[in-house]
Amino acid sequence: MSVILNEVRPGFYLDSVALMRLSREIAGQPGIAEAALMMGTPANKEIMRDARLLAAPGEAAQGNDLVIGIRADSDAAAREALANALQRLTTSRASVDPGQGWRPRSLRAALKILPDANLALISVPGAYAAAEARKALRRGLHVLIFSDNVPLAEELALKREGRDLGRLVMGPDCGTAILNGVPLAFANRVPRGEIGLIGASGTGLQEVSSLIAESGAGISQAIGVGGRDLSREIGGIATLMAFDALDADPATQRIVLISKPPHPEVAQRIVARVAASAKPVTLCFIGADSLDLPKNARLASTLKQAAELALEGRLIGAGFDIRARTREMRIPAGRSRRIAGLFAGGTLCAEAQVLLLAAGRHVASNAPVPGASDLARAVTDSDRILDLGADEYTRGRPHPMIDPQVRDDALRDALDDPRLGVILLDLVIGYGAHTDPAGHLAAGLARRPDDGPLIVASVTGTEQDPQRRSAQVAALEGAGVLVAPSNAQAAEVALALTGEYV
Amino acid sequence: MHAVDEANQEALRRMLAADPVLIDVIPAAQAIGALKENVLLHAGPPIAWERMCGPLRGAIAGAIVFEGWAADLDEAFTSAAAGAIAFHPNHHFDAVGPMTGITTRSMPLLVVENRTFGNRAYCTINEGLGKVMRFGGNDAEVLTRLAWLRDGLAPVLAAALRAAGGIGLKSLIARGLSMGDEMHQRNVACTSLLLRELAPWLVRAGKDPDVVAQAMQFIAGNDQFFLNVAMAMGKAIMDPVRGIAGSSVVTAMSRNGTDFGIQVSGTGERWFTAPVEMPEGLYFPSFSEKDANPDMGDSTIVETIGLGGFAMAASPAVAGFVGAGSAATAAAVTKAMSEITVGENPEWTIPALDFAGVPTGIDIRLVLETGLAPTINTGIAHREPGIGQVGAGVVKAPMACFAQALSGLAQALGVA
């Protein structure tokens, strides 16, 4: 049996769209077959009549009257729906929903809101990054390309165009910058200071800036120029522009340049530019043998040494006594002295290789520095030092700095290896990185046997980072990990554990 | 690139320079010479009978009976299916029509003249809500109302407009925007403003007080009366923007219930079409999505000039059709549309957006770059012929039209 209930509110006007929304809500209530709220015009009454919603009270309504028509399974359901409708008609609604705010979709619209902006950070899939970067350049903006997989030819064209326009193109493949104290993309919160950094290596820039910050000094600017900037093809266009900028910046007293070894032609060009500067310069080309340098320049072989030179000799982690810390530690019986490195940071991986090679060890890596061999040519007792952020591990997956799970498989393999002696790890925190990488790692190490490999790590980041360096260190130490103050010292700890630290 | 931007600035300049005036109501055959016997204009891009949707066929059958080309609806369907009727888009004859958009020779057409450029555009008179031909209605009630529009309303309306020397529409729209109209879904303010201006002229023009009263009652009782005026105005504004070499500004968006078509200034009269989408919206009691016909009508000409969905922020009531229905949603729609337009119209402003002008001149490049399709406010017809309107809502223009148009423009510029 169905019940038709009408209520007429004389002279009550509500916009038809609001009424349609209300109708839909009331019609959706339990026990309601159909419902409509409409102004009582002849056309509307006809619609309601056809929908079998009109009874005598509704039929008598006029154009300025609001008619509520309800058809329900029972009188009780109809009355409840009517009461609900009447209540909704009279209660006020929250005015503005803050979740509905508009966000610009295009550079053009964003610049209307922020006309004084002078930098665009591009983070779109690599195939589209160059097009977006070009738009930004042509609107007079400096550009930081966070995207990777940007074709080399596009990078060259963009950097040339940027140079002609006097605009810096930072990145791609090195998503790090700290400009005027603002950390961009993968970066750490560091104090302002006198040291200007230029990096073709993202984690290298993060390690050096964090080490400087943790020892109490600060950064004027940190400029990530892109992983391929010092290649022969690109020729250091962004590096040279960044050098000009820091040279001209009165806040910058000393300059540090961090990169993999540049192409020799490019290295010459860089050295010539350094010679023309009045400021002291530290060059850190991880894995490079030697270089003829001008008087104002010094070469650092590790990131730690680069930070120390920039700090004018102040030592990093001076209170950390490697011998004392490792005196009581022994590689469990039956295990070899072999070291496995599982790195999220590419440059941190390279720095570890340099230190292990210097100690005379045989090192193999998927990203070998000069002197190390390719993984395919590893021998039984080779240390395998892996860059897990390299393309072959991250294709179709996030970078291990963002998602530490990417390292889980490799870590499980290492823990299950019955002969492995030491596992060497890095942990990179800061903006863009995972919210709690140490917590994730600690959970993965929780139920390992006592006679497993020893684990050594360092945390790249600062106390001011969202993850708090000390909290991350504490979580690792709680999981039985020996944590060194720097990545270089972590490698040295590993060497001490294998008996080769001198 | 530079040349395209310059061409688009010229397109915007022409749009903003337009001076549309509602000047007359005349029989369609007088306005459009091509409207002979057995010739019928419809909404949207060209389409053959075989591909037409239910409401369009229903409206065509009704129009055939209305013109006396068939004795009844059955005969009308048969003769239309047999190819006895020539079909053309309104847009090919300076005209537009809402929903099915049927225009035949004896129907009265509103005449809007763009006094800056001297061109005229035409649209039929809005029939009101409920069972009407524009939604596919075709029974005796529908045809009787059409006859009254032709014989009762049109003559007195024409006389009043002529005596008034036309009604300027630009400032009327400006006032309507500040009163909550967006000129597609909601026309109550503009209808009232128009009637207020027309009233003394109607009284003077009418010989029979009953006819005048009926005319005024009809306009006053139809909140959407002004929609058709706004559409003719839109057509009158956009036609002078056609054919600017290199311009990527959209000059028409239109749908026939099967295809959605757009035209672009730099590619002239060429249509770029894609399957039309289903509107999302609210339904009259006892109807739902499964009754709905895909999107229809030439009324998207109002979005083409920056009204309708583009002016949603002026009309928070209409935002009820989209999302949460808040005023903030309405503002977000207008701001999003400003990402795909060349500029703003400083004379048509929206108080709630600190008097920002409505987003004007859709640039197909920006549509493709941002992935933001034009948002269109629309009525929803029943999918079967003869039933009429079942709801109203919002629909997006299909992206494929814009992608094709960009290729077409590149060809026209010799850079494809």
Side-chain angles (χ1 to χ4, degrees), chain A residues 71-105:
Chain A
R71 178 152 48 81
D73 303 340
S74 70
D75 194 54
R79 300 225 163 264
E80 196 184 325
L82 177 62
N84 203 333
L86 290 172
Q87 199 222 334
R88 280 171 194 247
L89 277 178
T90 46
T91 47
S92 63
R93 287 156 45 104
S95 56
V96 174
D97 178 1
Q100 301 285 330
W102 168 80
R103 309 279 298 170
R105 189 79 77 96

Side-chain angles (χ1 to χ4, degrees), chain B residues 172-261:
Chain B
L172 199 142
I173 298 283
R175 281 176 288 161
L177 281 169
S178 71
M179 294 166 75
D181 278 4
E182 40 67 85
M183 270 60 72
H184 199 162
Q185 206 84 267
R186 194 177 191 275
N187 281 283
V188 59
C190 280
T191 299
S192 306
L193 290 168
L194 179 67
L195 184 58
R196 194 176 71 168
E197 293 209 27
L198 274 174
W201 302 104
L202 283 168
V203 170
R204 286 196 199 100
K207 293 174 185 68
D208 180 348
D210 278 344
V211 172
V212 174
Q214 272 178 26
M216 294 175 74
Q217 210 165 10
F218 177 80
I219 297 171
N222 177 8
D223 288 350
Q224 284 291 75
F225 182 84
F226 191 80
L227 171 63
N228 296 37
V229 179
M231 288 174 59
M233 173 190 76
K235 181 72 175 155
I237 290 173
M238 289 319 295
D239 276 350
V241 182
R242 288 170 179 270
I244 302 171
S247 171
S248 56
V249 166
V250 173
T251 50
M253 295 195 288
S254 175
R255 1 20 142 207
N256 55 34
T258 303
D259 298 322
F260 193 111

Side-chain angles (χ1 to χ4, degrees), chain B residues 136-148:
Chain B
N138 57 15
D139 65 11
E141 181 193 334
V142 172
L143 302 190
T144 304
R145 190 188 303 107
L146 284 178
W148 177 80

Side-chain angles (χ1 to χ4, degrees), chain A residues 227-480:
Chain A
R228 299 180 299 209
D229 194 64
L230 296 170
S231 66
R232 182 180 196 174
E233 292 82 355
I234 306 294
I237 294 176
T239 302
L240 292 168
M241 287 178 73
F243 211 99
D244 290 345
L246 292 183
D247 221 7
D249 173 27
T252 301
Q253 300 299 319
R254 297 179 295 286
I255 299 171
V256 182
L257 172 58
I258 305 147
S259 171
K260 286 172 286 194
H263 186 273
E265 288 172 18
V266 183
Q268 272 180 17
R269 215 173 298 162
I270 299 293
V271 167
R273 178 63 189 82
V274 168
S277 171
K279 297 181 180 178
V281 178
T282 300
L283 297 173
C284 178
F285 297 143
I286 300 281
D289 302 337
S290 65
L291 212 57
D292 286 334
L293 293 177
K295 280 202 305 292
N296 61 333
R298 275 181 293 179
L299 190 66
S301 61
T302 62
L303 299 168
K304 172 170 170 276
Q305 197 192 354
E308 286 171 341
L309 288 172
L311 290 164
E312 298 184 303
R314 202 184 314 170
L315 294 178
I316 301 285
F320 184 79
D321 184 337
I322 292 179
R323 278 179 225 288
R325 294 295 293 270
T326 56
R327 196 164 294 140
E328 304 301 320
M329 296 177 76
R330 294 282 178 277
I331 292 175
R335 291 185 174 273
S336 73
R337 292 160 55 248
R338 187 153 50 79
I339 300 169
L342 306 176
F343 284 89
T347 312
L348 301 174
C349 177
E351 184 182 39
Q353 291 179 56
V354 167
L355 286 161
L356 299 186
L357 286 168
R361 296 178 67 89
H362 189 268
V363 175
S365 174
N366 61 321
V369 299
S373 66
D374 199 86
L375 270 190
R377 308 230 319 273
V379 293
T380 316
D381 66 343
S382 297
D383 295 330
R384 288 171 177 77
I385 308 299
L386 304 182
D387 174 7
L388 297 172
D391 286 348
E392 61 265 37
Y393 294 105
T394 56
R395 204 161 287 133
R397 302 201 290 184
H399 193 279
M401 274 161 61
I402 301 171
D403 181 2
Q405 283 189 43
V406 174
R407 190 151 61 177
D408 285 353
D409 287 345
L411 181 62
R412 208 170 300 117
D413 288 350
L415 289 172
D416 288 346
D417 183 340
R419 296 275 299 140
L420 185 65
V422 180
I423 298 175
L424 186 56
L425 296 166
D426 64 346
L427 217 72
V428 184
I429 60 172
Y431 295 96
H434 187 263
T435 51
D436 183 18
H440 180 86
L441 198 60
L445 296 173
R447 271 181 298 280
R448 69 184 197 281
D450 292 340
D451 60 350
L454 300 174
I455 303 175
V456 184
S458 69
V459 176
T460 298
T462 71
E463 202 53 24
Q464 283 67 45
D465 282 332
Q467 301 92 338
R468 265 181 59 226
R469 189 176 183 283
S470 63
Q472 294 288 301
V473 170
L476 290 178
E477 287 177 343

Side-chain angles (χ1 to χ4, degrees), chain B residues 21-26 30 109-112 157-159 161-162:
Chain B
V21 181
L22 176 62
I23 57 167
D24 206 347
V25 178
I26 58 176
Q30 188 186 323
L109 298 184
L110 300 161
V111 184
V112 172
L157 192 53
L161 283 169
R162 283 180 216 151

Side-chain angles (χ1 to χ4, degrees), chain B residues 31-33 41 89-97 103 109-112 118-124 231-240 242 263 269 298 301:
Chain B
I32 301 166
L41 308 185
N90 285 308
H91 267 291
H92 293 187
F93 296 95
D94 308 330
V96 281
T103 309
L109 298 184
L110 300 161
V111 184
V112 172
N119 62 302
R120 291 179 177 191
Y122 311 98
C123 186
T124 48
M231 288 174 59
M233 173 190 76
K235 181 72 175 155
I237 290 173
M238 289 319 295
D239 276 350
R242 288 170 179 270
Q263 294 178 314
E269 306 301 307
D298 291 328
I301 193 72

Side-chain angles (χ1 to χ4, degrees), chain B residues 239-404:
Chain B
D239 276 350
V241 182
R242 288 170 179 270
I244 302 171
S247 171
S248 56
V249 166
V250 173
T251 50
M253 295 195 288
S254 175
R255 1 20 142 207
N256 55 34
T258 303
D259 298 322
F260 193 111
I262 68 168
Q263 294 178 314
V264 173
S265 179
T267 53
E269 306 301 307
R270 187 170 162 194
W271 287 100
F272 302 97
T273 64
V276 76
E277 298 188 3
M278 288 298 291
E280 228 178 274
L282 297 169
Y283 289 85
F284 296 155
S286 81
F287 295 107
S288 70
E289 290 81 359
K290 61 183 186 296
D291 302 305
N293 195 76
D295 192 28
M296 254 189 340
D298 291 328
S299 54
T300 30
I301 193 72
V302 304
E303 274 80 11
T304 315
I305 57 169
L307 302 174
F310 285 56
M312 191 92 90
S315 193
V318 170
F321 288 113
V322 286
S326 65
T329 319
V333 171
T334 292
K335 285 184 172 172
M337 292 303 98
S338 73
E339 295 214 39
I340 58 170
T341 45
V342 177
E344 292 175 354
N345 186 330
E347 289 182 74
W348 289 351
T349 61
I350 299 177
L353 289 185
D354 294 333
F355 294 95
V358 297
T360 304
I362 302 166
D363 182 343
I364 57 171
R365 297 175 305 167
L366 297 176
V367 170
L368 291 165
E369 180 187 332
T370 58
L372 291 167
T375 296
I376 295 155
N377 295 344
T378 187
I380 305 173
H382 198 286
R383 59 168 65 249
E384 300 298 332
I387 296 175
Q389 183 170 12
V390 295
V394 164
V395 71
K396 301 275 185 196
M399 271 293 170
C401 295
F402 298 89
Q404 289 171 36

